[in-house]
Amino acid sequence: MMRRDYILSAVLLVIAVGLPWLDPPRYLLAQGLLLFCWATVVSQWNLVFGIAGIFSLAQIAIFAVGAYSTAMMGRYLEMNLWYAFPIAGVIGVIFSLLIGLGCLRMRGVYVALLTIAVGQVLFVLIMGDGECSPLNPGICMSFTGGPSGMGGFGGFGWREVLGGRHFIIGDYYSMLGLLILAMAFTFWIIHSRMGLAFKALRDNPELASSRGISRFKYQLLVFALSAFFTAEAGAFFAAHFGSVGPGQLSFTLLLFLISMLIVGGMGRPWGPLLGAFLIMGGDEFLKEAGEWRHIGFGVMLLVFMIFLPDGVAGLIDRVWRRLTTRGGAARAGKAAPAE
Amino acid sequence: MADTREPLLACRGVFKHFGALAAVNNFDLDVLPGDVLGIGGPNGAGKTTFLDVISGINPATDGRIRFGGADIRQQSPEQICHAGIARTYQLNAVFDTLTIRENVLVGAAFGRGDRGVFPRMRFSREMRARVDRALALTGLEDRQHLNARELPVLDRKLLMLAGALATEPKLLLVDEPVGGLNPHEIDQVMEIMSGLTREGMTIILIEHVMRFLLALSKRVVIMHHGEKIYEGVPTGLLQDERVVEVYLGEGTAARLRHLMGGSAAHG
Amino acid sequence: MDYLIQIIVSGLTLGSMYALSAVGLSLVWGSFNCLNMAHGSVMALGAYFTLIAVDSIGFPVWVSLPFAMVGGALVGTAVYYLSVHWMLNTRNYETNIIIATFGIGMVMENGLLKIFGGYPYAQPLTVQGVAGLIGNVPVNYRSIVIWVVAAVLMVALGLLLTRTRAGRAIRAVAQNRDGAKLMGVPVARVYVQVLMLASLLAAVSGILISTTLQIVPYMGANPLLKAFIVICLAGLGNILGALYAALLVGLVEASASTLWAPQYGFPVILVVVILALIWRPEGLFGRVMVARQ
């Protein structure tokens, strides 16, 4: 089990690191970079939703907070973005911790509501920011850039080092580095004592608390820990594109990311990466189909929920188990719903 | 009968109200170290609610509950667990997606305490040793890598017991450990439980299977409408008119008298 | 004073529209503890059904309402057989159904976009004109129709749930699924009926909403979110509570829009509801008034 993980990591790493040396089209590098970005976000979402079982949809808002805080530090404080990145991460953690505090007493879909609402409030605030102040009609100062977004805050700085033609390779490796750190972090958490607490609380909160696990503590911990790399992904996203906008809070992005989580396999360590790859690949394919793209996504979600609720990673796991434990007790996972 | 030792658990005037209903009504109870207390009574008598009250799942509305000298009435379930009370549930509560070993590891890793804002990440050698001990006590070692979801009822009951034992409790609360099992399986659980009592484990036990309850308990309490209607030695139970009337019925009492007569000879 | 009347008039109108969709959503939650994320798209479909009935088929305007109601009920049946039917006995079925119905909603919404385009249509089923003044505030016939339709459907739903055999079966399932099954209630059939009923109400709600705005494919998204907020505020599964909460949310939104600015209506609702939920995590009316334990 663990050996399989190491081999898989090594193979994927060789492919990802090697890709730029094959002189691929620029488009492929740009898409690869995006893949790393979304896989980072989804891997952290998986920690909250898949591992800890908290139905939070705040990940998009945390991503946007990371992106916007980086942009603002670059624009207003004229900071080198590499200094802004860790600060953006910390801001994301604090933001997520506040959401976690608000959600503490709620369960299930109430958490989904509150976390969707947080994103919506941010969206409305940013969209309304472009208008002139009703108190001082002469001043039209927009702090966040309003509906059209903001730019002009710099980037990774690879353009200066590698030149205009090759800077994307620098961006590519930066994002890859982030994904590697995020994945390593996720594996570390999942297999640690803390990860066991998350899973216990997910499976049976009452039993977990009478075995000595504090829901208060671990719920706040998972909100805080999953926020850092999510905000960081937002920060890197902003640095790569050189602009941020309210589109990062849209339902379309939410749908896109949740599809990755579902198709990949919720609660499985490799699920997010697999899901990001499949969805981005499928999206590439559906781009030809024009307006059918969203219909295709909807049908896919439905089909997966009916036939493969534990995603492709779940399917692979089951096949693997059947192969390794000859005729073993690896039964397909159908059981009565909890409680 | 008089015992001068300090009680491990002391309940005084404990109430649990649900609206106008008193599910636990003015309950007094002392449990001494090494005691094995059986609680019986008809359905809805408040037995499980009483365990919920002690373990903090459903805190008491009034009264005093002292454990090892400290007041635990207002404490959270996890604090009470850390203080040394572990329980099992009437329904088969396990962590469904975890293996047997991981299930027990939860108790071993968190049951003794979990200090600090940022918890320790590694599993220590003591934790693993506690898991091994609990698995050995319940005889689950050979199945430890099976998924909890796929287990039969007996194994789920044993798994709950193992999870509680892995916290190395000073007081073990057991809620219907043999409900729904066949006679052969009951004997199996009985053997494990009497192993625990021989080692001096303090236990509060709820069970409807009277043969099981009477064989294990050193002392028995019968509850009815949230109140204690009997407290004393197991054999006295069968002579108590009220207990026979509200709970056992004449036939069962006679059968049990016969059975107890037999087992009393073994000492 | 006029402000107050204005707030009450538009608050009641908003509240009536929200109530129809929220009650349906709450009914679904009460029966199988799940959110139907396709509910918003069913609202949009309801509005398009009247459009199809009048413009494409050429039915008289008054026929388009029952046409859309039947259409809504059929869509509800389809939602059942495409999602709930397959998932009720799986692990994490709550989440699975949410995501699956989200997918169904996507398909419906984008299907509408594909067929009708993004161009907004006017709702053919509407009445024009001002009925009169309360103080200095004009009251439209349209608002009165909305109040009457909502009130009639609410009363009908109440009678259905309390006085008929099917309604009693629905309430029995909401109280205790396993118990109802043991008593011989055909649970699967009850689920279909609940989704039909909820979708029928959603279709009517969509029609009412489209009389004040326009018909566009994504018109259900915002009302769905509001219905969602309403049932959380009320306490999930609490049907009568959902009615009160819908009126409350309508009044809060109307106050914010009238006293401040229209675009602040939604954020104000969210902030008020979040504070209310932090104060009472089980909703304002909790589960006291519902049948569920």
Side-chain angles (χ1 to χ4, degrees), chain A residues 49 55 102 105-106 109-110 113-114 117 121 124 131 255 262 291-292 294-295 298-299 302 305-306 309 335 337, chain C residues 29 82 86-87 89 93 95-96 98-99 102-103 106-107 110 114 229 232 236 263 267 270 274 278-279 281-282:
Chain A
F49 193 8
F55 197 174
R105 296 177 61 196
M106 300 175 196
V109 286
Y110 286 103
L113 170 77
L114 188 127
V121 169
V124 171
E131 289 152 24
L255 175 75
I262 300 302
E291 287 171 342
W292 290 98
H294 285 104
I295 300 182
V299 171
L302 190 59
M305 281 290 91
I306 294 176
Chain C
W29 182 279
L82 283 174
W86 302 85
M87 292 163 198
N89 296 315
Y93 74 105
T95 329
N96 292 359
I98 288 175
I99 293 165
F102 190 52
M106 284 286 298
V107 172
N110 288 286
K114 183 94 182 125
I229 289 167
C232 282
L236 291 167
Q263 71 264 34
L270 282 178
I274 287 172
I278 290 174
W279 172 49
E282 291 280 293

Side-chain angles (χ1 to χ4, degrees), chain C residues 109-134:
Chain C
E109 206 172 294
N110 288 286
L112 286 174
L113 191 66
K114 183 94 182 125
I115 297 167
F116 292 92
Y119 181 79
Y121 291 90
Q123 174 58 255
L125 183 69
T126 184
V127 281
Q128 302 294 336
V130 176
L133 294 174
I134 303 179

Side-chain angles (χ1 to χ4, degrees), chain A residues 193 202-203 210-212 217-218, chain B residues 82 87 97 109 114 116 121:
Chain A
R193 180 168 168 271
R202 169 191 70 188
D203 279 5
S210 64
R211 290 285 174 269
K217 177 165 143 185
Y218 285 92
Chain B
H82 295 162
R87 73 171 289 187
T97 65
D114 187 27
M121 300 296 279

